[in-house]
Amino acid sequence: MTNVKGILAGYSKELDSHIDKFLPFEKPDNLMEATVQYPRAGGKRMRPAMVLAAAGAVGGNKEDAIPLAVAIEYIHNFTLIHDDYMDGDEKRRGMTTIHVKYGGPTAILAGDALFARAFEVIAHLNVPDSVVRGVLKIVTRAVWDLARGQQMDVNNENGEEVTMDEYIETIRLKTSVLFAAGAAGGALIGGADSRTVDAVHEYAMLLGVAFQMFDDVLGLVGDPVKLGKSVGNDVRKGKSTVMVTHALKSIKDQSVMSEFRSILGKANASEDDIRKARKIMEDAGSVDFAVKMAEDYTRRAIAKLDVLSPGEDKEFMIALAEYAMKRDV
Amino acid sequence: MTNVKGILAGYSKELDSHIDKFLPFEKPDNLMEATVQYPRAGGKRMRPAMVLAAAGAVGGNKEDAIPLAVAIEYIHNFTLIHDDYMDGDEKRRGMTTIHVKYGGPTAILAGDALFARAFEVIAHLNVPDSVVRGVLKIVTRAVWDLARGQQMDVNNENGEEVTMDEYIETIRLKTSVLFAAGAAGGALIGGADSRTVDAVHEYAMLLGVAFQMFDDVLGLVGDPVKLGKSVGNDVRKGKSTVMVTHALKSIKDQSVMSEFRSILGKANASEDDIRKARKIMEDAGSVDFAVKMAEDYTRRAIAKLDVLSPGEDKEFMIALAEYAMKRDV
């Protein structure tokens, strides 16, 4: 059986030296320190791993795809820096966030700098010019969509109730598109034909939805210690996750509904409030519903890979989709 | 004599339709409104004009360079949106700034979206793939430098006194690099050889310094009505402009020096304070010094254009450099 965590750790180790190589230290110091902090800090590195696996799975040379893997990780980190500032989050993976440590302006600029460097790395890819252009088209479109998805999320968190379809569209834009751009870009660099590039793109779009949906589940019922953050924050923000939308449609008892609504969006909800809201959603079958829906997306994602020849990179991509649903962090 | 304002107005009109064409309205509405506001609002459009003029001046087809002109204008506007938020400015060209109208998160995202779209437009340039890669290298490097320059400016405004050389380096990074990327990119699209691309790049780097230095002069001695903003804000921020640095080295009288220092960096300095500081700098010869220095940069910029064959686009580029020093706004 494919050891996803082990393979991710291997990719992560390989990437670390390249992450630094493409971020030479220039003036001013405070901007550079802010720029390198998140990329150096690690994380699951799922996105860059997907770039490399896709390049290999289509029969290409993974080495050629390393700069794109780094660029996708920079883009992911640029969005984290900006998101943390927007959300006013003070901690990420146990570290003080950039805007708290260096101030808001530096957080904005560090994100912008990483964004620019990501595309500079793409410009220098050691592949034919036509492939650079193709990768550029895919990745620029993804970043445009990321901004749209993040704005939808902001609007949603400002209490605008959305339908389940709208929430899934938000996830697609906010999370899936970068997975998909990485996978499709990797496949393109690996020399895949357009049908294969499209299939790999769709795989990653579906996987991204499953990943984010299960992330929402963990954010409610996960272990705060393992996650490194408190649970229930989506409830406090009144976010229309799949679980919340399902519960609002399913709860029949008016007193339960009014209790649920009284906690939803309550910024200072206590841990006891969160436990109550969680219990209400569990009783309404909303958590199971979200897990099943995520599983369904995972299955559909894996089916898209039928176009690929068998091999260990394909196996890893299948296992990565399953891992999105099995992880505890 | 070349009518710079008239030619700029002509380019501006031509660009307007393209500015909109490359920004199709997608969801969510608030992000899209925030994204289009600055690009639609106009301004001097010096940067895109320089892209087109450079393409023409090297004997190329200006039509091919229009998307890059638009992309450079998007990048300029993305930096304005982020800068206005960082600086807490409430007005730009008489309009309410994005972060005031739509909130800080939307200002960050609208900037990010414009940034992404700029590079998407570059990806779709109707030129050979090798030229796309060349333009991408030039422009991504410029945006990285813009972030560095802006951070230096933030550090400077936070009261960190800098030398004149450091201030000029800040201007180069904050202002010149985007002029230069536009000019060099335009020349590249126009089919110029690398020696010509480099010369045009240097022309625009020097012009950018002259432009910003004269902008600082206008920000002290200009007409607030014509400028559409109050004067003396650099003094209030304690910014080490060329004039301030010169004055600090030149003032001999200790009582004058202590009065000057008491106003410099005084956030709530009155108009009377500003008049006093201005008088002190004028008496110390600091305003004349800055104007002469800017004129010298203009001369050096124009000399770089010797490599170009005579023609109306070259004439416009020369006149544009002179205009940077003659304008009143």
Side-chain angles (χ1 to χ4, degrees), chain B residues 290-318:
Chain B
V291 170
K292 280 211 165 51
M293 198 170 196
E295 281 170 352
D296 185 51
Y297 271 91
T298 300
R299 248 191 311 274
R300 287 163 58 202
I302 292 169
K304 296 289 176 190
L305 298 181
D306 287 350
V307 69
L308 298 176
S309 311
E312 64 176 16
D313 288 311
K314 178 179 176 178
E315 286 311 309
F316 171 71
M317 290 172 80
I318 292 171

Side-chain angles (χ1 to χ4, degrees), chain A residues 228-240:
Chain A
K229 62 181 180 187
S230 53
V231 297
N233 286 332
D234 287 346
V235 173
R236 291 187 178 93
K237 288 174 178 168
K239 202 163 155 179
S240 299

Side-chain angles (χ1 to χ4, degrees), chain A residues 84-97:
Chain A
D84 285 345
Y85 180 35
M86 282 177 229
D87 295 344
D89 290 335
E90 297 185 356
K91 292 276 174 192
R92 170 166 300 275
R93 297 183 202 130
M95 295 175 299
T96 306
T97 48

Side-chain angles (χ1 to χ4, degrees), chain B residues 16 35 42-43 69 81 93 128 135 147 169 184-185 188 193 197 216 218 237 244 247 254-255 260 265 273 283 328:
Chain B
D16 281 346
T35 300
I81 295 173
R93 297 183 202 129
V135 169
E169 177 65 7
L188 202 60
D193 58 26
V197 170
D216 292 346
L218 285 177
K237 288 173 178 168
V244 166
Q254 280 313 307
S255 71
F260 186 56
D273 286 334
D283 290 349
D328 56 5

